[in-house]
PDB file of all heavy atoms in Angstrom:
ATOM      1  N   GLN A   1     109.406  68.476 107.604  1.00  0.00           N
ATOM      2  CA  GLN A   1     110.267  67.498 108.317  1.00  0.00           C
ATOM      3  C   GLN A   1     110.775  68.021 109.637  1.00  0.00           C
ATOM      4  O   GLN A   1     110.982  67.212 110.598  1.00  0.00           O
ATOM      5  CB  GLN A   1     111.394  67.101 107.360  1.00  0.00           C
ATOM      6  CG  GLN A   1     110.933  66.398 106.120  1.00  0.00           C
ATOM      7  CD  GLN A   1     112.065  66.034 105.164  1.00  0.00           C
ATOM      8  OE1 GLN A   1     113.230  66.141 105.528  1.00  0.00           O
ATOM      9  NE2 GLN A   1     111.717  65.524 103.991  1.00  0.00           N
ATOM     10  N   THR A   2     110.984  69.318 109.770  1.00  0.00           N
ATOM     11  CA  THR A   2     111.569  69.891 111.004  1.00  0.00           C
ATOM     12  C   THR A   2     110.494  70.134 111.993  1.00  0.00           C
ATOM     13  O   THR A   2     110.733  69.938 113.231  1.00  0.00           O
ATOM     14  CB  THR A   2     112.355  71.176 110.685  1.00  0.00           C
ATOM     15  OG1 THR A   2     113.358  70.864 109.676  1.00  0.00           O
ATOM     16  CG2 THR A   2     113.010  71.684 111.909  1.00  0.00           C
ATOM     17  N   TYR A   3     109.351  70.549 111.572  1.00  0.00           N
ATOM     18  CA  TYR A   3     108.235  70.918 112.502  1.00  0.00           C
ATOM     19  C   TYR A   3     107.064  69.929 112.484  1.00  0.00           C
ATOM     20  O   TYR A   3     106.090  70.162 113.128  1.00  0.00           O
ATOM     21  CB  TYR A   3     107.716  72.332 112.173  1.00  0.00           C
ATOM     22  CG  TYR A   3     108.721  73.402 112.461  1.00  0.00           C
ATOM     23  CD1 TYR A   3     109.683  73.807 111.505  1.00  0.00           C
ATOM     24  CD2 TYR A   3     108.797  74.019 113.697  1.00  0.00           C
ATOM     25  CE1 TYR A   3     110.597  74.790 111.761  1.00  0.00           C
ATOM     26  CE2 TYR A   3     109.779  75.005 113.976  1.00  0.00           C
ATOM     27  CZ  TYR A   3     110.660  75.372 112.975  1.00  0.00           C
ATOM     28  OH  TYR A   3     111.624  76.326 113.297  1.00  0.00           O
ATOM     29  N   GLU A   4     107.218  68.883 111.666  1.00  0.00           N
ATOM     30  CA  GLU A   4     106.236  67.818 111.567  1.00  0.00           C
ATOM     31  C   GLU A   4     104.840  68.340 111.314  1.00  0.00           C
ATOM     32  O   GLU A   4     103.879  68.063 112.012  1.00  0.00           O
ATOM     33  CB  GLU A   4     106.258  66.981 112.899  1.00  0.00           C
ATOM     34  CG  GLU A   4     107.567  66.296 113.206  1.00  0.00           C
ATOM     35  CD  GLU A   4     107.602  65.467 114.413  1.00  0.00           C
ATOM     36  OE1 GLU A   4     106.620  65.627 115.217  1.00  0.00           O
ATOM     37  OE2 GLU A   4     108.534  64.704 114.619  1.00  0.00           O
ATOM     38  N   MET A   5     104.730  69.154 110.278  1.00  0.00           N
ATOM     39  CA  MET A   5     103.420  69.677 109.885  1.00  0.00           C
ATOM     40  C   MET A   5     103.065  69.167 108.472  1.00  0.00           C
ATOM     41  O   MET A   5     103.886  68.572 107.778  1.00  0.00           O
ATOM     42  CB  MET A   5     103.430  71.206 109.895  1.00  0.00           C
ATOM     43  CG  MET A   5     104.493  71.887 109.022  1.00  0.00           C
ATOM     44  SD  MET A   5     104.396  73.701 109.029  1.00  0.00           S
ATOM     45  CE  MET A   5     104.832  74.080 110.697  1.00  0.00           C
ATOM     46  N   THR A   6     101.819  69.334 108.090  1.00  0.00           N
ATOM     47  CA  THR A   6     101.337  68.871 106.783  1.00  0.00           C
ATOM     48  C   THR A   6     101.899  69.824 105.675  1.00  0.00           C
ATOM     49  O   THR A   6     102.311  70.967 105.976  1.00  0.00           O
ATOM     50  CB  THR A   6      99.838  68.878 106.671  1.00  0.00           C
ATOM     51  OG1 THR A   6      99.338  70.242 106.853  1.00  0.00           O
ATOM     52  CG2 THR A   6      99.196  68.035 107.828  1.00  0.00           C
ATOM     53  N   VAL A   7     101.845  69.334 104.496  1.00  0.00           N
ATOM     54  CA  VAL A   7     102.279  70.143 103.311  1.00  0.00           C
ATOM     55  C   VAL A   7     101.436  71.391 103.216  1.00  0.00           C
ATOM     56  O   VAL A   7     101.911  72.492 102.972  1.00  0.00           O
ATOM     57  CB  VAL A   7     102.258  69.343 102.058  1.00  0.00           C
ATOM     58  CG1 VAL A   7     102.463  70.266 100.813  1.00  0.00           C
ATOM     59  CG2 VAL A   7     103.313  68.256 102.079  1.00  0.00           C
ATOM     60  N   THR A   8     100.106  71.198 103.415  1.00  0.00           N
ATOM     61  CA  THR A   8      99.189  72.426 103.258  1.00  0.00           C
ATOM     62  C   THR A   8      99.525  73.449 104.333  1.00  0.00           C
ATOM     63  O   THR A   8      99.619  74.658 104.025  1.00  0.00           O
ATOM     64  CB  THR A   8      97.773  71.931 103.419  1.00  0.00           C
ATOM     65  OG1 THR A   8      97.457  70.973 102.398  1.00  0.00           O
ATOM     66  CG2 THR A   8      96.811  73.132 103.277  1.00  0.00           C
ATOM     67  N   ARG A   9      99.773  73.011 105.567  1.00  0.00           N
ATOM     68  CA  ARG A   9     100.080  74.017 106.607  1.00  0.00           C
ATOM     69  C   ARG A   9     101.452  74.629 106.318  1.00  0.00           C
ATOM     70  O   ARG A   9     101.664  75.841 106.538  1.00  0.00           O
ATOM     71  CB  ARG A   9     100.048  73.346 108.028  1.00  0.00           C
ATOM     72  CG  ARG A   9     100.251  74.403 109.115  1.00  0.00           C
ATOM     73  CD  ARG A   9     100.291  73.815 110.503  1.00  0.00           C
ATOM     74  NE  ARG A   9     100.687  74.832 111.469  1.00  0.00           N
ATOM     75  CZ  ARG A   9     101.341  74.565 112.570  1.00  0.00           C
ATOM     76  NH1 ARG A   9     101.648  73.289 112.895  1.00  0.00           N
ATOM     77  NH2 ARG A   9     101.673  75.567 113.370  1.00  0.00           N
ATOM     78  N   ALA A  10     102.433  73.811 105.946  1.00  0.00           N
ATOM     79  CA  ALA A  10     103.771  74.328 105.669  1.00  0.00           C
ATOM     80  C   ALA A  10     103.681  75.395 104.564  1.00  0.00           C
ATOM     81  O   ALA A  10     104.470  76.383 104.581  1.00  0.00           O
ATOM     82  CB  ALA A  10     104.713  73.228 105.292  1.00  0.00           C
ATOM     83  N   SER A  11     102.847  75.155 103.583  1.00  0.00           N
ATOM     84  CA  SER A  11     102.718  76.067 102.479  1.00  0.00           C
ATOM     85  C   SER A  11     102.269  77.472 102.900  1.00  0.00           C
ATOM     86  O   SER A  11     102.513  78.428 102.225  1.00  0.00           O
ATOM     87  CB  SER A  11     101.824  75.534 101.333  1.00  0.00           C
ATOM     88  OG  SER A  11     100.458  75.532 101.781  1.00  0.00           O
ATOM     89  N   THR A  12     101.591  77.565 104.043  1.00  0.00           N
ATOM     90  CA  THR A  12     101.098  78.901 104.498  1.00  0.00           C
ATOM     91  C   THR A  12     102.304  79.714 104.885  1.00  0.00           C
ATOM     92  O   THR A  12     102.245  80.960 104.862  1.00  0.00           O
ATOM     93  CB  THR A  12     100.157  78.755 105.675  1.00  0.00           C
ATOM     94  OG1 THR A  12     100.801  78.115 106.812  1.00  0.00           O
ATOM     95  CG2 THR A  12      98.927  77.952 105.282  1.00  0.00           C
ATOM     96  N   TYR A  13     103.394  79.112 105.302  1.00  0.00           N
ATOM     97  CA  TYR A  13     104.617  79.863 105.734  1.00  0.00           C
ATOM     98  C   TYR A  13     105.362  80.310 104.480  1.00  0.00           C
ATOM     99  O   TYR A  13     105.908  81.459 104.446  1.00  0.00           O
ATOM    100  CB  TYR A  13     105.497  79.035 106.642  1.00  0.00           C
ATOM    101  CG  TYR A  13     104.851  78.892 108.029  1.00  0.00           C
ATOM    102  CD1 TYR A  13     104.003  77.798 108.289  1.00  0.00           C
ATOM    103  CD2 TYR A  13     105.081  79.850 108.979  1.00  0.00           C
ATOM    104  CE1 TYR A  13     103.415  77.703 109.550  1.00  0.00           C
ATOM    105  CE2 TYR A  13     104.455  79.724 110.252  1.00  0.00           C
ATOM    106  CZ  TYR A  13     103.628  78.649 110.514  1.00  0.00           C
ATOM    107  OH  TYR A  13     102.992  78.556 111.732  1.00  0.00           O
ATOM    108  N   THR A  14     105.477  79.490 103.463  1.00  0.00           N
ATOM    109  CA  THR A  14     106.087  79.973 102.213  1.00  0.00           C
ATOM    110  C   THR A  14     105.178  81.042 101.551  1.00  0.00           C
ATOM    111  O   THR A  14     105.684  81.888 100.850  1.00  0.00           O
ATOM    112  CB  THR A  14     106.373  78.871 101.235  1.00  0.00           C
ATOM    113  OG1 THR A  14     105.175  78.075 100.993  1.00  0.00           O
ATOM    114  CG2 THR A  14     107.457  77.908 101.805  1.00  0.00           C
ATOM    115  N   LEU A  15     103.871  80.935 101.828  1.00  0.00           N
ATOM    116  CA  LEU A  15     102.921  81.959 101.368  1.00  0.00           C
ATOM    117  C   LEU A  15     103.354  83.329 101.931  1.00  0.00           C
ATOM    118  O   LEU A  15     103.208  84.356 101.242  1.00  0.00           O
ATOM    119  CB  LEU A  15     101.484  81.605 101.790  1.00  0.00           C
ATOM    120  CG  LEU A  15     100.376  82.530 101.314  1.00  0.00           C
ATOM    121  CD1 LEU A  15      99.049  81.709 101.163  1.00  0.00           C
ATOM    122  CD2 LEU A  15     100.133  83.668 102.293  1.00  0.00           C
ATOM    123  N   LEU A  16     103.834  83.344 103.184  1.00  0.00           N
ATOM    124  CA  LEU A  16     104.292  84.585 103.754  1.00  0.00           C
ATOM    125  C   LEU A  16     105.413  85.205 102.978  1.00  0.00           C
ATOM    126  O   LEU A  16     105.525  86.438 102.820  1.00  0.00           O
ATOM    127  CB  LEU A  16     104.700  84.358 105.239  1.00  0.00           C
ATOM    128  CG  LEU A  16     103.601  84.065 106.206  1.00  0.00           C
ATOM    129  CD1 LEU A  16     104.197  83.694 107.597  1.00  0.00           C
ATOM    130  CD2 LEU A  16     102.687  85.288 106.353  1.00  0.00           C
ATOM    131  N   GLY A  17     106.334  84.393 102.456  1.00  0.00           N
ATOM    132  CA  GLY A  17     107.346  84.879 101.627  1.00  0.00           C
ATOM    133  C   GLY A  17     106.828  85.527 100.345  1.00  0.00           C
ATOM    134  O   GLY A  17     107.260  86.582  99.975  1.00  0.00           O
ATOM    135  N   SER A  18     105.845  84.840  99.716  1.00  0.00           N
ATOM    136  CA  SER A  18     105.259  85.456  98.541  1.00  0.00           C
ATOM    137  C   SER A  18     104.462  86.662  98.857  1.00  0.00           C
ATOM    138  O   SER A  18     104.447  87.628  98.034  1.00  0.00           O
ATOM    139  CB  SER A  18     104.348  84.374  97.861  1.00  0.00           C
ATOM    140  OG  SER A  18     105.106  83.299  97.433  1.00  0.00           O
ATOM    141  N   ALA A  19     103.828  86.749 100.066  1.00  0.00           N
ATOM    142  CA  ALA A  19     103.168  87.969 100.451  1.00  0.00           C
ATOM    143  C   ALA A  19     104.135  89.107 100.616  1.00  0.00           C
ATOM    144  O   ALA A  19     103.842  90.238 100.237  1.00  0.00           O
ATOM    145  CB  ALA A  19     102.395  87.713 101.755  1.00  0.00           C
ATOM    146  N   GLY A  20     105.330  88.790 101.092  1.00  0.00           N
ATOM    147  CA  GLY A  20     106.340  89.791 101.211  1.00  0.00           C
ATOM    148  C   GLY A  20     106.729  90.334  99.855  1.00  0.00           C
ATOM    149  O   GLY A  20     106.924  91.558  99.652  1.00  0.00           O
ATOM    150  N   ILE A  21     106.864  89.446  98.846  1.00  0.00           N
ATOM    151  CA  ILE A  21     107.196  89.872  97.502  1.00  0.00           C
ATOM    152  C   ILE A  21     106.043  90.720  96.927  1.00  0.00           C
ATOM    153  O   ILE A  21     106.330  91.648  96.150  1.00  0.00           O
ATOM    154  CB  ILE A  21     107.455  88.635  96.619  1.00  0.00           C
ATOM    155  CG1 ILE A  21     108.696  87.902  97.108  1.00  0.00           C
ATOM    156  CG2 ILE A  21     107.628  89.007  95.148  1.00  0.00           C
ATOM    157  CD1 ILE A  21     109.009  86.581  96.407  1.00  0.00           C
ATOM    158  N   LEU A  22     104.839  90.412  97.297  1.00  0.00           N
ATOM    159  CA  LEU A  22     103.695  91.194  96.846  1.00  0.00           C
ATOM    160  C   LEU A  22     103.775  92.655  97.362  1.00  0.00           C
ATOM    161  O   LEU A  22     103.404  93.558  96.620  1.00  0.00           O
ATOM    162  CB  LEU A  22     102.389  90.494  97.319  1.00  0.00           C
ATOM    163  CG  LEU A  22     101.068  91.191  96.964  1.00  0.00           C
ATOM    164  CD1 LEU A  22     100.896  91.225  95.441  1.00  0.00           C
ATOM    165  CD2 LEU A  22      99.905  90.437  97.597  1.00  0.00           C
ATOM    166  N   ILE A  23     104.213  92.799  98.600  1.00  0.00           N
ATOM    167  CA  ILE A  23     104.204  94.149  99.201  1.00  0.00           C
ATOM    168  C   ILE A  23     105.526  94.889  99.062  1.00  0.00           C
ATOM    169  O   ILE A  23     105.577  96.080  98.727  1.00  0.00           O
ATOM    170  CB  ILE A  23     103.892  93.993 100.737  1.00  0.00           C
ATOM    171  CG1 ILE A  23     102.496  93.337 100.917  1.00  0.00           C
ATOM    172  CG2 ILE A  23     103.933  95.305 101.426  1.00  0.00           C
ATOM    173  CD1 ILE A  23     102.216  92.915 102.312  1.00  0.00           C
ATOM    174  N   GLY A  24     106.632  94.202  99.245  1.00  0.00           N
ATOM    175  CA  GLY A  24     107.940  94.865  99.302  1.00  0.00           C
ATOM    176  C   GLY A  24     108.372  95.575  98.072  1.00  0.00           C
ATOM    177  O   GLY A  24     108.748  96.743  98.112  1.00  0.00           O
ATOM    178  N   PRO A  25     108.484  94.877  96.917  1.00  0.00           N
ATOM    179  CA  PRO A  25     109.019  95.538  95.696  1.00  0.00           C
ATOM    180  C   PRO A  25     108.270  96.761  95.260  1.00  0.00           C
ATOM    181  O   PRO A  25     108.918  97.769  94.949  1.00  0.00           O
ATOM    182  CB  PRO A  25     108.949  94.414  94.651  1.00  0.00           C
ATOM    183  CG  PRO A  25     109.160  93.194  95.432  1.00  0.00           C
ATOM    184  CD  PRO A  25     108.365  93.434  96.722  1.00  0.00           C
ATOM    185  N   PRO A  26     106.914  96.794  95.290  1.00  0.00           N
ATOM    186  CA  PRO A  26     106.282  98.070  94.940  1.00  0.00           C
ATOM    187  C   PRO A  26     106.487  99.172  95.932  1.00  0.00           C
ATOM    188  O   PRO A  26     106.747 100.343  95.513  1.00  0.00           O
ATOM    189  CB  PRO A  26     104.745  97.734  94.930  1.00  0.00           C
ATOM    190  CG  PRO A  26     104.716  96.279  94.789  1.00  0.00           C
ATOM    191  CD  PRO A  26     105.921  95.739  95.444  1.00  0.00           C
ATOM    192  N   LEU A  27     106.576  98.833  97.210  1.00  0.00           N
ATOM    193  CA  LEU A  27     106.821  99.867  98.242  1.00  0.00           C
ATOM    194  C   LEU A  27     108.265 100.393  98.165  1.00  0.00           C
ATOM    195  O   LEU A  27     108.486 101.608  98.179  1.00  0.00           O
ATOM    196  CB  LEU A  27     106.578  99.314  99.643  1.00  0.00           C
ATOM    197  CG  LEU A  27     106.794 100.255 100.798  1.00  0.00           C
ATOM    198  CD1 LEU A  27     105.844 101.486 100.660  1.00  0.00           C
ATOM    199  CD2 LEU A  27     106.511  99.588 102.145  1.00  0.00           C
ATOM    200  N   VAL A  28     109.245  99.514  98.055  1.00  0.00           N
ATOM    201  CA  VAL A  28     110.614  99.922  97.901  1.00  0.00           C
ATOM    202  C   VAL A  28     110.800 100.700  96.621  1.00  0.00           C
ATOM    203  O   VAL A  28     111.501 101.758  96.579  1.00  0.00           O
ATOM    204  CB  VAL A  28     111.587  98.704  97.960  1.00  0.00           C
ATOM    205  CG1 VAL A  28     113.024  99.152  97.703  1.00  0.00           C
ATOM    206  CG2 VAL A  28     111.510  98.052  99.327  1.00  0.00           C
ATOM    207  N   GLY A  29     110.208 100.259  95.533  1.00  0.00           N
ATOM    208  CA  GLY A  29     110.269 101.027  94.272  1.00  0.00           C
ATOM    209  C   GLY A  29     109.676 102.369  94.357  1.00  0.00           C
ATOM    210  O   GLY A  29     110.261 103.358  93.821  1.00  0.00           O
ATOM    211  N   TRP A  30     108.552 102.535  95.056  1.00  0.00           N
ATOM    212  CA  TRP A  30     107.905 103.843  95.236  1.00  0.00           C
ATOM    213  C   TRP A  30     108.811 104.765  96.081  1.00  0.00           C
ATOM    214  O   TRP A  30     109.011 105.937  95.692  1.00  0.00           O
ATOM    215  CB  TRP A  30     106.568 103.665  95.970  1.00  0.00           C
ATOM    216  CG  TRP A  30     105.858 104.948  96.255  1.00  0.00           C
ATOM    217  CD1 TRP A  30     105.101 105.660  95.432  1.00  0.00           C
ATOM    218  CD2 TRP A  30     105.847 105.672  97.524  1.00  0.00           C
ATOM    219  NE1 TRP A  30     104.609 106.778  96.031  1.00  0.00           N
ATOM    220  CE2 TRP A  30     105.044 106.813  97.359  1.00  0.00           C
ATOM    221  CE3 TRP A  30     106.410 105.400  98.762  1.00  0.00           C
ATOM    222  CZ2 TRP A  30     104.802 107.706  98.353  1.00  0.00           C
ATOM    223  CZ3 TRP A  30     106.187 106.335  99.779  1.00  0.00           C
ATOM    224  CH2 TRP A  30     105.410 107.458  99.566  1.00  0.00           C
ATOM    225  N   VAL A  31     109.392 104.248  97.163  1.00  0.00           N
ATOM    226  CA  VAL A  31     110.320 105.075  97.989  1.00  0.00           C
ATOM    227  C   VAL A  31     111.508 105.480  97.125  1.00  0.00           C
ATOM    228  O   VAL A  31     112.009 106.614  97.164  1.00  0.00           O
ATOM    229  CB  VAL A  31     110.787 104.306  99.262  1.00  0.00           C
ATOM    230  CG1 VAL A  31     111.870 105.046  99.967  1.00  0.00           C
ATOM    231  CG2 VAL A  31     109.601 104.052 100.137  1.00  0.00           C
ATOM    232  N   SER A  32     112.045 104.537  96.306  1.00  0.00           N
ATOM    233  CA  SER A  32     113.173 104.847  95.492  1.00  0.00           C
ATOM    234  C   SER A  32     112.880 105.941  94.456  1.00  0.00           C
ATOM    235  O   SER A  32     113.658 106.832  94.245  1.00  0.00           O
ATOM    236  CB  SER A  32     113.696 103.590  94.811  1.00  0.00           C
ATOM    237  OG  SER A  32     114.837 103.839  94.034  1.00  0.00           O
ATOM    238  N   ASP A  33     111.683 105.829  93.811  1.00  0.00           N
ATOM    239  CA  ASP A  33     111.322 106.851  92.855  1.00  0.00           C
ATOM    240  C   ASP A  33     111.087 108.241  93.540  1.00  0.00           C
ATOM    241  O   ASP A  33     111.458 109.280  92.920  1.00  0.00           O
ATOM    242  CB  ASP A  33     109.998 106.417  92.101  1.00  0.00           C
ATOM    243  CG  ASP A  33     110.271 105.403  91.017  1.00  0.00           C
ATOM    244  OD1 ASP A  33     111.419 105.351  90.530  1.00  0.00           O
ATOM    245  OD2 ASP A  33     109.322 104.656  90.711  1.00  0.00           O
ATOM    246  N   ARG A  34     110.521 108.206  94.714  1.00  0.00           N
ATOM    247  CA  ARG A  34     110.263 109.468  95.400  1.00  0.00           C
ATOM    248  C   ARG A  34     111.551 110.094  95.869  1.00  0.00           C
ATOM    249  O   ARG A  34     111.673 111.380  95.830  1.00  0.00           O
ATOM    250  CB  ARG A  34     109.331 109.230  96.626  1.00  0.00           C
ATOM    251  CG  ARG A  34     107.897 108.935  96.263  1.00  0.00           C
ATOM    252  CD  ARG A  34     107.202 110.107  95.605  1.00  0.00           C
ATOM    253  NE  ARG A  34     107.100 111.229  96.514  1.00  0.00           N
ATOM    254  CZ  ARG A  34     106.031 111.481  97.297  1.00  0.00           C
ATOM    255  NH1 ARG A  34     105.020 110.603  97.315  1.00  0.00           N
ATOM    256  NH2 ARG A  34     106.027 112.513  98.061  1.00  0.00           N
ATOM    257  N   THR A  35     112.498 109.347  96.328  1.00  0.00           N
ATOM    258  CA  THR A  35     113.757 109.889  96.889  1.00  0.00           C
ATOM    259  C   THR A  35     114.901 109.991  95.865  1.00  0.00           C
ATOM    260  O   THR A  35     115.869 110.716  96.045  1.00  0.00           O
ATOM    261  CB  THR A  35     114.243 109.051  98.053  1.00  0.00           C
ATOM    262  OG1 THR A  35     114.581 107.729  97.620  1.00  0.00           O
ATOM    263  CG2 THR A  35     113.174 108.955  99.179  1.00  0.00           C
ATOM    264  N   GLY A  36     114.724 109.193  94.761  1.00  0.00           N
ATOM    265  CA  GLY A  36     115.803 109.125  93.769  1.00  0.00           C
ATOM    266  C   GLY A  36     116.962 108.289  94.207  1.00  0.00           C
ATOM    267  O   GLY A  36     117.998 108.209  93.572  1.00  0.00           O
ATOM    268  N   ASN A  37     116.805 107.575  95.323  1.00  0.00           N
ATOM    269  CA  ASN A  37     117.908 106.738  95.895  1.00  0.00           C
ATOM    270  C   ASN A  37     117.713 105.311  95.493  1.00  0.00           C
ATOM    271  O   ASN A  37     116.639 104.758  95.627  1.00  0.00           O
ATOM    272  CB  ASN A  37     117.909 106.864  97.470  1.00  0.00           C
ATOM    273  CG  ASN A  37     119.262 106.402  98.009  1.00  0.00           C
ATOM    274  OD1 ASN A  37     119.608 105.252  97.777  1.00  0.00           O
ATOM    275  ND2 ASN A  37     119.928 107.282  98.722  1.00  0.00           N
ATOM    276  N   ARG A  38     118.780 104.719  94.971  1.00  0.00           N
ATOM    277  CA  ARG A  38     118.709 103.359  94.531  1.00  0.00           C
ATOM    278  C   ARG A  38     119.699 102.475  95.340  1.00  0.00           C
ATOM    279  O   ARG A  38     119.311 101.504  95.976  1.00  0.00           O
ATOM    280  CB  ARG A  38     119.113 103.269  93.003  1.00  0.00           C
ATOM    281  CG  ARG A  38     118.420 104.191  92.063  1.00  0.00           C
ATOM    282  CD  ARG A  38     116.955 104.012  91.924  1.00  0.00           C
ATOM    283  NE  ARG A  38     116.406 104.755  90.815  1.00  0.00           N
ATOM    284  CZ  ARG A  38     115.135 105.115  90.689  1.00  0.00           C
ATOM    285  NH1 ARG A  38     114.255 104.793  91.632  1.00  0.00           N
ATOM    286  NH2 ARG A  38     114.721 105.782  89.624  1.00  0.00           N
ATOM    287  N   THR A  39     120.956 102.858  95.270  1.00  0.00           N
ATOM    288  CA  THR A  39     121.993 101.940  95.765  1.00  0.00           C
ATOM    289  C   THR A  39     122.024 101.847  97.328  1.00  0.00           C
ATOM    290  O   THR A  39     122.268 100.779  97.908  1.00  0.00           O
ATOM    291  CB  THR A  39     123.410 102.368  95.316  1.00  0.00           C
ATOM    292  OG1 THR A  39     123.617 103.712  95.693  1.00  0.00           O
ATOM    293  CG2 THR A  39     123.497 102.235  93.794  1.00  0.00           C
ATOM    294  N   LEU A  40     121.668 102.943  97.998  1.00  0.00           N
ATOM    295  CA  LEU A  40     121.641 102.841  99.478  1.00  0.00           C
ATOM    296  C   LEU A  40     120.525 101.962  99.941  1.00  0.00           C
ATOM    297  O   LEU A  40     120.694 101.160 100.844  1.00  0.00           O
ATOM    298  CB  LEU A  40     121.493 104.266 100.040  1.00  0.00           C
ATOM    299  CG  LEU A  40     121.433 104.343 101.612  1.00  0.00           C
ATOM    300  CD1 LEU A  40     122.726 103.742 102.233  1.00  0.00           C
ATOM    301  CD2 LEU A  40     121.209 105.756 102.050  1.00  0.00           C
ATOM    302  N   LEU A  41     119.325 102.085  99.322  1.00  0.00           N
ATOM    303  CA  LEU A  41     118.248 101.220  99.685  1.00  0.00           C
ATOM    304  C   LEU A  41     118.579  99.797  99.402  1.00  0.00           C
ATOM    305  O   LEU A  41     118.231  98.856 100.171  1.00  0.00           O
ATOM    306  CB  LEU A  41     117.011 101.643  98.858  1.00  0.00           C
ATOM    307  CG  LEU A  41     116.198 102.897  99.311  1.00  0.00           C
ATOM    308  CD1 LEU A  41     115.128 103.236  98.303  1.00  0.00           C
ATOM    309  CD2 LEU A  41     115.607 102.659 100.705  1.00  0.00           C
ATOM    310  N   MET A  42     119.259  99.554  98.300  1.00  0.00           N
ATOM    311  CA  MET A  42     119.699  98.160  98.005  1.00  0.00           C
ATOM    312  C   MET A  42     120.623  97.633  99.091  1.00  0.00           C
ATOM    313  O   MET A  42     120.412  96.486  99.489  1.00  0.00           O
ATOM    314  CB  MET A  42     120.385  98.090  96.633  1.00  0.00           C
ATOM    315  CG  MET A  42     120.928  96.741  96.265  1.00  0.00           C
ATOM    316  SD  MET A  42     121.849  96.746  94.705  1.00  0.00           S
ATOM    317  CE  MET A  42     120.496  96.620  93.547  1.00  0.00           C
ATOM    318  N   ALA A  43     121.601  98.411  99.508  1.00  0.00           N
ATOM    319  CA  ALA A  43     122.594  97.908 100.488  1.00  0.00           C
ATOM    320  C   ALA A  43     121.903  97.665 101.857  1.00  0.00           C
ATOM    321  O   ALA A  43     122.173  96.632 102.469  1.00  0.00           O
ATOM    322  CB  ALA A  43     123.720  98.935 100.616  1.00  0.00           C
ATOM    323  N   VAL A  44     121.099  98.568 102.285  1.00  0.00           N
ATOM    324  CA  VAL A  44     120.379  98.399 103.566  1.00  0.00           C
ATOM    325  C   VAL A  44     119.488  97.201 103.512  1.00  0.00           C
ATOM    326  O   VAL A  44     119.433  96.374 104.502  1.00  0.00           O
ATOM    327  CB  VAL A  44     119.617  99.682 103.937  1.00  0.00           C
ATOM    328  CG1 VAL A  44     118.731  99.426 105.192  1.00  0.00           C
ATOM    329  CG2 VAL A  44     120.560 100.838 104.234  1.00  0.00           C
TER     330      VAL A  44
END
């Protein structure tokens, strides 16, 4: 409604959010396990 695009094209942008979920949690979890830091990473 805001950018006047089709549902299929709009879904590619929400796909980016899901792609972020695909990459971010394992990477942040790996860094947290390696450093032992939990709460600082959460706050940042």
Side-chain angles (χ1 to χ4, degrees):
Q1 296 179 8
T2 304
Y3 292 89
E4 298 180 348
M5 58 177 66
T6 64
V7 169
T8 301
R9 186 182 170 210
S11 69
T12 63
Y13 288 90
T14 54
L15 183 152
L16 289 173
S18 295
I21 294 173
L22 177 63
I23 299 168
L27 181 59
V28 174
W30 178 81
V31 171
S32 182
D33 280 337
R34 289 293 296 268
T35 63
N37 197 301
R38 313 293 193 203
T39 56
L40 180 60
L41 282 173
M42 176 184 277
V44 171

